[in-house]
Amino acid sequence: MNRLFVNNLTVIDFSYFHPQRGVVGESWIVDVELVGELNDEGMVFDFGHVKKMLKAALDSGMDHTLVVPEHLPGLTIETLADGDQIHIEYRRPDGELAFVYQSPREAVFIVDSDKVTIDSARPLLESHLNTLVPANVRQVSLQLRTEEIAGDFYHYSHGLKKHQGDCQRICHGHRSRIEIYRNHKRDIESEQEWAKRFADIYLVTAEDQMPSSHRHLQHIGYDAEQGRFDVWLNPDQCYLMATDSTVELIASHIANALQQEAPEDHWRVKAFEGVQKGAIASNH
């Protein structure tokens, strides 16, 4: 039996629901291994097909979705409009409503567990990939891992209603590094401050705020190319931005805030969006 591997095949950027932390942005790096017999070309599977077909399957599945644990106590999931829409609610053990979500069905990925973890999500992803490969491939297995980050990082979720792709989905997110330079030197203290400020945060664009029909919850909603998106969140887990929340605007927002605090200093912000990508902003 032969084994083929591809490390760093893709990164799955998504958000998941946690009963205490709320909507948590996450980024998992995907490594793949294929076990099987050699074909007529002397290969288990062509590297080009692995990178195109399997990566595309992952990118069109869990990536840029809200991942919810189907068996979490207090969570209810209902499909609407002939299965095209999904409605989700979570109530705390005392019965208080703590989370409401509604969107097109394709924007939600459901795991067969009471919590979202690498171990609970991996079997669903592997099962789908194993239906796509040729008969000589006996098994596709995945390793999912987070980026090793020596410094500070944060988890943020957002939605970009103007985006034509899956970024328009209202609850997707990233686990992201941040680097801040003050007068051309790393400012660890500022990095720690912003990492703390953006820990498990939802970035709200001001114009997406809606009047809330649920007491104690903040309503964010908009219409996008894929349909209508609405979410009601704990206000303490939200951070308001005057602009949209692209990574370019996040970097600029942080740089502008730092400049207001210390206008005489030169600031440079390197904000990541998930793994190995992001934007840079400076005040000069």
Side-chain angles (χ1 to χ4, degrees):
M1 200 67 67
N2 299 275
R3 294 178 180 270
L4 179 76
F5 71 91
V6 179
N7 290 337
N8 303 303
L9 175 66
T10 190
V11 176
I12 301 175
D13 291 304
F14 64 98
S15 292
Y16 66 92
F17 179 72
H18 186 280
Q20 285 80 45
R21 297 170 66 187
V23 175
V24 182
E26 187 60 276
S27 300
W28 288 346
I29 302 167
V30 181
D31 303 327
V32 62
E33 185 175 290
L34 295 86
V35 179
E37 304 291 346
L38 299 181
N39 60 20
D40 293 340
E41 298 174 300
M43 302 177 179
V44 174
F45 200 45
D46 186 275
F47 277 118
H49 293 316
V50 173
K51 293 179 180 179
K52 291 179 181 178
M53 187 177 72
L54 298 187
K55 181 181 183 301
L58 291 167
D59 292 346
S60 63
M62 183 176 170
D63 190 54
H64 282 71
T65 64
L66 171 66
V67 182
V68 294
E70 184 176 15
H71 303 297
L72 173 68
L75 190 77
T76 59
I77 302 172
E78 181 183 6
T79 55
L80 309 171
D82 296 326
D84 293 335
Q85 293 280 316
I86 190 166
H87 181 88
I88 301 169
E89 293 186 1
Y90 171 72
R91 292 184 180 273
R92 296 192 179 97
D94 62 5
E96 182 178 0
L97 187 65
F99 173 74
V100 182
Y101 174 94
Q102 188 163 317
S103 80
R105 175 64 183 85
E106 62 188 359
V108 175
F109 188 91
I110 300 172
V111 298
D112 184 21
S113 178
D114 62 354
K115 58 185 175 181
V116 177
T117 65
I118 285 175
D119 288 338
S120 66
R122 182 173 50 226
L124 295 172
L125 300 175
E126 289 179 338
S127 177
H128 177 55
L129 296 184
N130 274 284
T131 67
L132 304 177
V133 293
N136 68 296
V137 178
R138 302 290 183 84
Q139 182 181 13
V140 179
S141 59
L142 299 177
Q143 179 184 354
L144 307 174
R145 54 190 171 88
T146 56
E147 180 186 17
E148 294 185 8
I149 301 175
D152 291 286
F153 63 91
Y154 45 75
H155 299 260
Y156 74 88
S157 300
H158 64 160
L160 303 173
K161 62 181 178 296
K162 300 172 186 174
H163 195 271
Q164 295 303 302
D166 292 339
C167 291
Q168 68 188 263
R169 295 172 177 174
I170 199 167
C171 285
H172 75 277
H174 314 272
R175 176 181 182 267
S176 303
R177 297 165 53 194
I178 183 169
E179 296 177 7
I180 297 176
Y181 297 83
R182 183 175 191 169
N183 298 323
H184 310 289
K185 294 182 180 180
R186 284 284 292 273
D187 187 337
I188 303 301
E189 184 176 342
S190 292
E191 292 176 3
Q192 291 173 342
E193 178 184 342
W194 279 95
K196 182 178 180 180
R197 192 176 301 184
F198 277 8
D200 301 347
I201 205 71
Y202 186 94
L203 301 179
V204 181
T205 297
E207 66 182 18
D208 297 337
Q209 295 182 107
M210 307 287 292
S212 181
S213 56
H214 298 291
R215 189 167 57 94
H216 304 314
L217 296 180
Q218 181 168 351
H219 181 191
I220 303 103
Y222 53 73
D223 293 298
E225 187 270 335
Q226 290 183 1
R228 178 69 190 181
F229 293 86
D230 292 277
V231 65
W232 288 259
L233 299 167
N234 181 343
D236 293 338
Q237 296 168 334
C238 296
Y239 181 94
L240 185 64
M241 292 182 60
T243 65
D244 288 327
S245 54
T246 64
V247 70
E248 295 91 340
L249 291 170
I250 292 171
S252 295
H253 176 86
I254 296 173
N256 290 337
L258 291 166
Q259 183 179 16
Q260 290 180 10
E261 295 171 5
E264 301 303 317
D265 291 333
H266 176 271
W267 294 98
R268 182 174 182 267
V269 176
K270 189 174 184 180
F272 286 74
E273 183 185 72
V275 181
Q276 298 299 322
K277 65 184 191 301
I280 297 172
S282 62
N283 62 341
H284 294 297

